[in-house]
Amino acid sequence: PQYKITLKLHPNPYCKNLPIIDDLRAKVTRNVRIIKNAFYAKELIVQNDLIILEIPGTSLLQSVKAGKSILLFNGLKDWLDPRIKVLVKKRVEYAEDIDEFVAVLDKYLRDVDLWSVPSNDDFLRNCGTYLNDGLSCSRAAESIVALISKSKDEK
């Protein structure tokens, strides 16, 4: 096979089986691996060129930050704030129903040139990282140290 598809589902313990699993298996029968219980997507993101997600959560932020091409099936249509949805659509291929998703996936599997990554980082800057400079942890640590020092000075 020219490609392998890994669909990493959100590890929600309350959701036994999402409709996308059966729909995807029925419409795309070969080369599909579905992972439901992995809590960390970092390793999967590094290993794959095309990331397919079914919920706009932490894995989406990680994939955007990693510079990956992303297909997002958002079956939770009302879950995203409309302003955030606009930002997401600037960066990822987005679908809200299974037929639309399968059509986009089919298009991507037929033409790997589409796997180029949009350079838009509006979603990442608004929802994931302030300056996108890799120094957020340092700034957070500095702020915590400053708060602790201020608290000690006030005593």
Side-chain angles (χ1 to χ4, degrees):
Q2 295 178 17
Y3 52 83
K4 292 180 184 174
I5 299 169
T6 302
L7 176 61
K8 191 260 184 218
L9 301 172
H10 190 274
N12 182 342
Y14 303 106
C15 191
K16 301 295 182 203
N17 199 8
L18 297 172
I20 189 175
I21 297 171
D22 297 328
D23 290 340
L24 187 61
R25 282 195 174 130
K27 296 178 186 215
V28 183
T29 57
R30 299 174 310 162
N31 310 325
V32 177
R33 179 173 70 150
I34 296 173
I35 299 172
K36 289 174 60 172
N37 297 319
F39 283 87
Y40 300 105
K42 186 176 178 182
E43 296 81 19
L44 293 172
I45 292 168
V46 171
Q47 295 170 5
N48 291 278
D49 297 312
L50 177 63
I51 308 299
I52 301 170
L53 301 167
E54 53 50 89
I55 191 169
T58 305
S59 296
L60 176 59
L61 285 168
Q62 292 171 321
S63 300
V64 169
K65 181 64 179 158
K68 298 296 182 168
S69 187
I70 304 161
L71 304 182
L72 173 61
F73 172 74
N74 183 18
L76 306 171
K77 298 172 188 163
D78 298 328
W79 197 68
L80 269 182
D81 181 288
R83 295 168 294 180
I84 301 302
K85 189 183 297 188
V86 169
L87 299 177
V88 168
K89 287 181 171 183
K90 289 180 178 180
R91 176 56 180 81
V92 308
E93 284 288 339
Y94 181 92
E96 289 186 343
D97 69 55
I98 191 65
D99 291 328
E100 178 186 9
F101 172 75
V102 170
V104 170
L105 178 60
D106 186 56
K107 178 177 75 170
Y108 266 66
L109 295 178
R110 291 178 192 277
D111 186 359
V112 294
D113 291 335
L114 294 172
W115 295 23
S116 63
V117 178
S119 60
N120 188 294
D121 68 349
D122 292 349
F123 169 67
L124 186 62
R125 285 175 157 267
N126 279 275
C127 299
T129 180
Y130 171 58
L131 296 174
N132 198 20
D133 61 0
L135 299 174
S136 294
C137 288
S138 297
R139 282 191 293 277
E142 288 170 10
S143 295
I144 291 169
V145 168
L147 287 170
I148 292 170
S149 295
K150 182 179 176 184
S151 175
K152 286 180 179 178
D153 292 344
E154 291 175 357
K155 289 183 179 181

